Amino acid sequence: DRGTRVVDLAADVRLRDPEVYQRWYGGPHPDPGLLQEAVYGLPELHREEIRRARLVSGVGCNAAAAILALAPLARAGVVSEARIEARVGSSEGGSRATEGSHHPYRSRALRMFEPFAHRHLAEVSQETGLPEDRLTLGVTAVESVRGVQAVATVTLAEPVREGDLWKTYRAAYGSEPFVFLCPARPSHLRLPDPRLVMGSNRALVGFALHPDGRRLTAVAAIDNLLKGASGTAVQAANLLLGCPETAGLEMRPVYPA
Amino acid sequence: DRGTRVVDLAADVRLRDPEVYQRWYGGPHPDPGLLQEAVYGLPELHREEIRRARLVSGVGCNAAAAILALAPLARAGVVSEARIEARVGSSEGGSRATEGSHHPYRSRALRMFEPFAHRHLAEVSQETGLPEDRLTLGVTAVESVRGVQAVATVTLAEPVREGDLWKTYRAAYGSEPFVFLCPARPSHLRLPDPRLVMGSNRALVGFALHPDGRRLTAVAAIDNLLKGASGTAVQAANLLLGCPETAGLEMRPVYPA
Amino acid sequence: DRGTRVVDLAADVRLRDPEVYQRWYGGPHPDPGLLQEAVYGLPELHREEIRRARLVSGVGCNAAAAILALAPLARAGVVSEARIEARVGSSEGGSRATEGSHHPYRSRALRMFEPFAHRHLAEVSQETGLPEDRLTLGVTAVESVRGVQAVATVTLAEPVREGDLWKTYRAAYGSEPFVFLCPARPSHLRLPDPRLVMGSNRALVGFALHPDGRRLTAVAAIDNLLKGASGTAVQAANLLLGCPETAGLEMRPVYPA
Amino acid sequence: DRGTRVVDLAADVRLRDPEVYQRWYGGPHPDPGLLQEAVYGLPELHREEIRRARLVSGVGCNAAAAILALAPLARAGVVSEARIEARVGSSEGGSRATEGSHHPYRSRALRMFEPFAHRHLAEVSQETGLPEDRLTLGVTAVESVRGVQAVATVTLAEPVREGDLWKTYRAAYGSEPFVFLCPARPSHLRLPDPRLVMGSNRALVGFALHPDGRRLTAVAAIDNLLKGASGTAVQAANLLLGCPETAGLEMRPVYPA
């Protein structure tokens, strides 16, 4: 250790609690001190800590999307329960060919994997503060190469007003360079489609509240190869190095594509 | 009226209650007596009534999938709440080109429409007996031409055992000619993908129960142009006419395609 | 050898000439006598021989499509040169995952492989009688799971009249159970798309003649998993066994899908 | 006319010869003087004229791709005949929904339109100098939103050596900011796939020569919404205005996507 500052792209230091790490990753962490020291590398939640950090973690792509959808609600203390489904493109599986990525099987898939306990759930719980037993996280493979759409089916603790939710989300993201709120209308653009951010480091966040004020759907869409991984890592590195936060990340979405 | 027996492919006589019809279709029914007389045309729920009926309704494609996923649970009295998402291919929108079906916009879409109150909710409520205020039904356009995958995010009234659910579903569908239960393993085949029934009149139904015994995901997959519409209508007509129920419907799924 | 009659699905006995076999398959054939004995298993060209054969070969999927497009012209003696491109879906690559079948790379591909000398060229030459040096055969991977579209860019030896071509093709295929000629109009249906035969054992054949009477495009479309492989093998087995030729092969195309 | 300089995005002034215009566009040009005055807006062919021009035409997307594939060969005087197929994504059809763009029909299409005489042929002839009767140009709709792959099936006037072709293409494009030659190896990257330029203003050009030295396949791939239309128009406007030629056009391809 000679003082080198690191943004880690792997999953090794995303979790703070060694016990949680062991439970989700199947063994003890080889250097638990790093877990205590590292900062979770999502600038929208930890901007100031990242600036000062020596060790910044990468983010899980599904986790990043789910956290962006849920964190404002969770901080507002209104979430009773959330069941999250991350719909993902084939690039999420990595660059190595597998039976699961074989085109005849993967094309146009709507393949739901274990629907409750994807490993990224640990990150979502840690970063939103919602206890694990009030969260589920499943992953569904859909037809696309890039993109994650995290859909949170939320039950609120008590009825809320839509206007208050708008305030909550605007307060969270109004000055973020890469997070955009979806408009209330037209209705088919209210909940974001990952196509709309493809090729960019942007996240789109939207929500819809049931008239009963207690049932809510919150959605975030990102390009998993940018905001879901290396894009956010570059953003974190910019902060850590004192560069402009958006440097190298100003690509606009390519749409329609 | 000269005694002609009818299986209606349209949406006109699917609902029994004129008040419910008016609320969902925006005006009074022109002949409410037909609503009272008609039988909902899903053989899995109304086989004997269809045999004797004079007027059989068609089924909504999203409704048919959702009902097949939920009806056994609802009958068992264990459902507290269900939030349903129907993921649909482009053929569901009909044969006329619209801005929504324009390929540059529609291709690889993950477009979530109004997420709580698709009109087919009325059918799901009627046929499962679950009150409307404990159901939501949204529709999401995904990349495919055919297929509906109805995903019900269910909260159970009290914890149940997985073995009991298997009994419930087997009792409901064990002798059905067109409904197949997904196996418990491998996990990626536990919840059905519409690709697996494409080109056939089959429905695949699967479920996964959270270890807490109270959170459940129930899924049904159909080909919307067959089991979701004309296929089920032919099946109903076969019953009504005294033909073998599977006549003309024995096409096998085309997979992979 | 106890008189068992065989339809071989592999590529081992498709070629008649051991020298040609050696040139295309990189080594001498282990049992050249089988090459002499075997019948090429395309009923449209060898129906009577197949009925009496002891050993029938499978057909290459690209070869089968190219042969169906070109054979009537070749027999009529009007072909000076043909350059063929087979556009193929991902299922043609087999069931094993490879880097080429990895969805992020394979999805929406327009990947042109070595454009002149795909190995099936030997079959096309043998079955059409066109010498190898007047043929090229390339393969292009396109976005689909099933389907081969063989497009032959043909130069005719001398100008022909369109009416004569219609007579030629009708004479070849007019009484075939599985080969259909595309209509002259509307123009976008004149040259066949494999989508129109998907899930069936059918071949669609179409052509367009340039006003100069010498430049021609001839196209055949098949489902590579049926007419391009096992479907044709079953058809051949039916002939060989004296069964009705279409037994087990009457599935209709699934369209749109 | 007050001296305003114009880059026209429409098809009105692409052709120089009023007679040719009339033949392809079905009526006389309303202001033939503009045809004489305008410069065809492809900087790779007319850079210096564009700098000085008052009126610059847009380019047809299929024409631009075909011209980039063929112009070096045509200038070298080696082309006897070329038959071109442009494989196009759905965005080429424009932003208005039509039956042809209806997703259930358009998805995974391999739909070959009139294969010999797409209107852009006039531009290809004009800009390559190849007479119309030695060219054909067809268009095939394939599954993608963006991209044109122009594939020219070329017959050379006499045998050439591959090394000479490399020199010809390198001389043409070696210093172009947006045109890249495909490498000779690996073979599956030798002929360009439009996916590799998607989201950028780049063109990829590649060729393969038959061992006989006379049959050749030349291919160019572009993003039709950039290099095939507005991207090239911006490039032309940059030249005309004296700005750096690449200003506003430095987006990198988004791959895999």
Side-chain angles (χ1 to χ4, degrees):
Chain A
D1 180 352
R2 307 190 216 147
T4 312
R5 301 170 75 194
V6 170
V7 178
D8 178 42
L9 271 171
D12 294 337
V13 295
R14 293 182 193 160
L15 300 177
R16 294 291 74 74
D17 182 333
E19 185 277 325
V20 174
Y21 179 91
Q22 176 154 1
R23 191 151 38 77
W24 287 95
Y25 286 85
H29 195 280
D31 188 347
L34 293 178
L35 298 185
Q36 246 94 87
E37 179 186 359
V39 175
Y40 190 75
L42 196 63
E44 289 77 9
L45 271 71
H46 299 285
R47 184 166 281 111
E48 293 312 312
E49 297 156 84
I50 293 171
R51 285 193 216 274
R52 299 183 308 262
R54 196 191 65 87
L55 176 59
V56 175
S57 79
V59 296
C61 45
N62 303 322
I67 293 165
L68 290 171
L70 283 178
L73 296 173
R75 255 186 262 137
V78 299
V79 176
S80 169
E81 186 193 350
R83 290 168 68 172
I84 309 164
E85 185 189 38
R87 288 90 99 100
V88 304
S90 59
S91 66
E92 198 173 272
S95 60
R96 210 163 44 84
T98 63
E99 192 182 359
S101 80
H102 189 45
H103 185 277
Y105 302 146
R106 185 62 179 75
S107 178
R108 288 181 171 174
L110 279 174
R111 191 190 299 149
M112 301 179 74
F113 295 99
E114 199 282 308
F116 302 119
H118 185 275
R119 185 181 275 178
H120 288 182
L121 174 54
E123 292 173 50
V124 180
S125 176
Q126 168 181 289
E127 296 300 318
T128 61
L130 296 169
E132 287 189 13
D133 64 5
R134 287 155 65 187
L135 291 172
T136 63
L137 174 60
V139 173
T140 296
V142 301
E143 171 63 60
S144 73
V145 173
R146 293 180 179 225
V148 179
Q149 184 187 51
V151 178
T153 296
V154 182
T155 305
L156 300 179
E158 52 190 52
V160 300
R161 285 183 306 188
E162 185 169 325
D164 292 336
L165 290 179
W166 281 106
K167 280 180 203 153
T168 297
Y169 275 103
R170 283 197 193 108
Y173 298 132
S175 57
E176 282 299 328
F178 292 118
V179 185
F180 296 81
L181 291 181
C182 293
R185 290 197 177 65
S187 69
H188 73 281
L189 295 180
R190 176 162 197 153
L191 299 177
D193 184 331
R195 292 187 73 199
L196 298 167
V197 294
M198 208 273 293
S200 80
N201 194 52
R202 298 183 185 183
L204 274 173
V205 175
F207 68 88
L209 182 67
H210 191 279
D212 72 6
R214 287 199 54 184
R215 286 179 283 187
L216 180 138
T217 301
V219 181
I222 58 176
D223 181 330
N224 58 305
L225 298 183
L226 286 158
K227 188 66 188 158
S230 56
T232 285
V234 169
Q235 188 181 350
N238 285 338
L239 289 167
L240 183 139
L241 297 167
C243 302
E245 185 171 342
T246 60
L249 297 170
E250 286 164 335
M251 306 82 75
R252 303 174 78 86
V254 177
Y255 181 85
Chain B
D1 181 351
R2 304 190 217 147
T4 312
R5 301 171 74 194
V6 171
V7 178
D8 179 43
L9 271 171
D12 294 337
V13 296
R14 293 183 192 160
L15 301 177
R16 296 290 75 74
D17 183 332
E19 185 275 326
V20 173
Y21 179 93
Q22 176 154 359
R23 191 151 41 77
W24 287 96
Y25 286 85
H29 195 281
D31 188 347
L34 292 178
L35 298 186
Q36 245 93 91
E37 180 187 359
V39 174
Y40 191 75
L42 196 63
E44 289 76 10
L45 270 73
H46 299 286
R47 183 166 281 113
E48 293 312 313
E49 298 156 82
I50 293 170
R51 285 195 216 273
R52 300 183 307 262
R54 196 191 65 88
L55 177 59
V56 175
S57 80
V59 296
C61 45
N62 302 322
I67 292 165
L68 289 170
L70 283 177
L73 296 172
R75 254 185 262 135
V78 298
V79 176
S80 169
E81 187 193 350
R83 291 168 69 172
I84 309 163
E85 185 188 40
R87 288 90 100 99
V88 305
S90 59
S91 66
E92 198 174 271
S95 61
R96 209 162 46 84
T98 63
E99 192 182 359
S101 80
H102 189 46
H103 185 278
Y105 302 146
R106 186 61 179 76
S107 178
R108 288 182 171 174
L110 279 175
R111 190 190 300 150
M112 302 180 74
F113 295 99
E114 199 282 307
F116 301 119
H118 185 275
R119 186 181 274 177
H120 289 181
L121 174 53
E123 292 172 50
V124 180
S125 177
Q126 169 181 289
E127 294 301 319
T128 61
L130 297 168
E132 287 188 13
D133 62 7
R134 285 156 65 189
L135 291 172
T136 63
L137 174 60
V139 172
T140 297
V142 301
E143 171 63 59
S144 74
V145 172
R146 293 180 178 224
V148 179
Q149 185 188 50
V151 178
T153 296
V154 182
T155 305
L156 300 179
E158 53 189 53
V160 301
R161 285 183 306 190
E162 185 169 325
D164 291 337
L165 290 179
W166 281 106
K167 280 179 203 154
T168 298
Y169 276 102
R170 283 196 193 109
Y173 298 132
S175 57
E176 282 297 330
F178 292 118
V179 185
F180 295 82
L181 290 181
C182 292
R185 290 195 177 68
S187 69
H188 72 283
L189 296 180
R190 177 164 196 153
L191 299 177
D193 185 330
R195 292 187 73 199
L196 298 166
V197 295
M198 209 272 292
S200 80
N201 195 51
R202 297 184 185 181
L204 274 174
V205 175
F207 67 89
L209 182 66
H210 191 278
D212 72 4
R214 288 198 55 182
R215 287 179 282 186
L216 180 138
T217 301
V219 181
I222 59 176
D223 181 330
N224 59 304
L225 298 182
L226 286 159
K227 188 66 188 158
S230 55
T232 285
V234 169
Q235 190 181 349
N238 285 339
L239 289 168
L240 183 139
L241 296 167
C243 301
E245 186 171 342
T246 60
L249 298 170
E250 286 163 338
M251 306 82 73
R252 303 175 78 87
V254 177
Y255 181 86
Chain C
D1 181 353
R2 306 191 217 145
T4 312
R5 302 171 73 194
V6 170
V7 178
D8 178 44
L9 272 171
D12 294 337
V13 296
R14 294 182 191 160
L15 300 177
R16 295 291 75 75
D17 183 333
E19 185 276 323
V20 174
Y21 179 92
Q22 176 154 2
R23 191 151 40 76
W24 287 96
Y25 287 85
H29 195 281
D31 187 349
L34 293 178
L35 297 185
Q36 247 92 89
E37 179 187 0
V39 175
Y40 190 75
L42 196 64
E44 289 76 10
L45 270 72
H46 300 285
R47 183 166 282 111
E48 293 313 313
E49 298 156 83
I50 292 170
R51 285 193 217 275
R52 300 183 307 260
R54 196 192 64 88
L55 177 58
V56 176
S57 79
V59 296
C61 45
N62 303 322
I67 293 164
L68 290 171
L70 283 177
L73 296 172
R75 255 185 264 136
V78 297
V79 175
S80 168
E81 185 193 351
R83 290 169 68 173
I84 309 163
E85 184 189 40
R87 288 89 100 100
V88 305
S90 60
S91 66
E92 198 173 272
S95 60
R96 212 162 44 84
T98 63
E99 191 181 359
S101 80
H102 189 46
H103 185 278
Y105 302 145
R106 186 62 179 76
S107 178
R108 288 181 171 173
L110 279 175
R111 190 189 300 150
M112 302 180 72
F113 296 99
E114 199 282 307
F116 302 119
H118 185 274
R119 186 181 275 178
H120 289 181
L121 174 53
E123 292 172 51
V124 180
S125 176
Q126 169 182 289
E127 295 301 318
T128 60
L130 297 168
E132 286 188 14
D133 63 7
R134 285 155 66 188
L135 291 173
T136 63
L137 174 60
V139 173
T140 297
V142 301
E143 171 63 59
S144 73
V145 172
R146 293 181 178 225
V148 179
Q149 183 187 51
V151 177
T153 296
V154 182
T155 305
L156 299 178
E158 52 190 53
V160 301
R161 285 183 307 188
E162 185 169 324
D164 292 336
L165 291 179
W166 281 106
K167 280 180 202 152
T168 298
Y169 275 103
R170 283 197 193 106
Y173 298 132
S175 57
E176 282 298 330
F178 293 118
V179 185
F180 296 82
L181 291 181
C182 293
R185 287 195 181 69
S187 69
H188 72 283
L189 296 179
R190 177 164 197 153
L191 300 176
D193 184 329
R195 291 188 74 198
L196 297 166
V197 294
M198 208 274 292
S200 81
N201 195 52
R202 297 183 184 182
L204 274 174
V205 175
F207 67 89
L209 183 66
H210 191 278
D212 71 6
R214 287 198 54 182
R215 287 179 281 187
L216 180 137
T217 301
V219 181
I222 59 175
D223 180 331
N224 58 305
L225 298 183
L226 287 158
K227 189 65 188 159
S230 55
T232 285
V234 169
Q235 189 182 348
N238 285 338
L239 289 168
L240 183 140
L241 296 167
C243 302
E245 186 171 342
T246 60
L249 297 170
E250 287 163 336
M251 307 82 74
R252 303 175 77 87
V254 177
Y255 181 85
Chain D
D1 182 352
R2 304 190 218 147
T4 312
R5 302 170 74 193
V6 170
V7 178
D8 179 42
L9 271 171
D12 294 337
V13 295
R14 293 182 193 160
L15 300 176
R16 296 290 73 77
D17 183 332
E19 185 277 324
V20 174
Y21 179 92
Q22 176 154 1
R23 192 152 39 77
W24 287 96
Y25 287 85
H29 195 280
D31 187 349
L34 293 178
L35 298 185
Q36 246 94 91
E37 179 187 1
V39 174
Y40 191 75
L42 196 64
E44 289 77 10
L45 270 73
H46 299 285
R47 183 167 282 112
E48 293 312 313
E49 298 156 83
I50 292 171
R51 286 195 215 272
R52 300 182 309 261
R54 196 191 65 88
L55 177 59
V56 176
S57 78
V59 296
C61 45
N62 303 321
I67 292 165
L68 290 171
L70 282 177
L73 296 172
R75 255 185 262 136
V78 298
V79 176
S80 169
E81 186 193 351
R83 290 168 69 172
I84 309 163
E85 185 189 40
R87 288 90 99 99
V88 305
S90 60
S91 66
E92 198 173 272
S95 60
R96 211 162 45 83
T98 63
E99 192 181 359
S101 79
H102 189 45
H103 184 278
Y105 302 145
R106 185 62 179 76
S107 178
R108 288 182 172 173
L110 279 174
R111 190 189 299 150
M112 302 180 72
F113 295 99
E114 198 283 307
F116 302 119
H118 185 275
R119 186 182 274 177
H120 289 180
L121 174 53
E123 292 172 49
V124 179
S125 176
Q126 169 182 289
E127 295 301 318
T128 61
L130 297 168
E132 286 188 14
D133 63 6
R134 286 155 65 189
L135 291 172
T136 63
L137 174 60
V139 173
T140 297
V142 301
E143 172 62 60
S144 74
V145 172
R146 293 181 178 223
V148 179
Q149 184 187 50
V151 178
T153 296
V154 182
T155 305
L156 299 178
E158 52 190 51
V160 300
R161 286 183 305 190
E162 186 170 324
D164 292 337
L165 290 180
W166 281 106
K167 279 179 202 153
T168 298
Y169 275 103
R170 283 198 192 109
Y173 298 132
S175 56
E176 282 298 330
F178 293 117
V179 185
F180 296 82
L181 291 181
C182 293
R185 287 195 181 69
S187 70
H188 73 281
L189 296 180
R190 176 165 196 152
L191 299 176
D193 184 331
R195 290 187 76 197
L196 298 166
V197 294
M198 207 273 293
S200 80
N201 194 52
R202 298 182 183 182
L204 275 174
V205 175
F207 68 88
L209 182 66
H210 191 278
D212 71 5
R214 287 200 53 183
R215 285 178 285 186
L216 180 137
T217 301
V219 181
I222 59 175
D223 181 330
N224 58 305
L225 297 183
L226 287 159
K227 188 67 188 158
S230 56
T232 285
V234 169
Q235 189 182 349
N238 285 339
L239 289 167
L240 183 140
L241 296 168
C243 301
E245 186 170 342
T246 60
L249 298 170
E250 287 163 337
M251 306 82 74
R252 303 175 78 85
V254 177
Y255 181 85

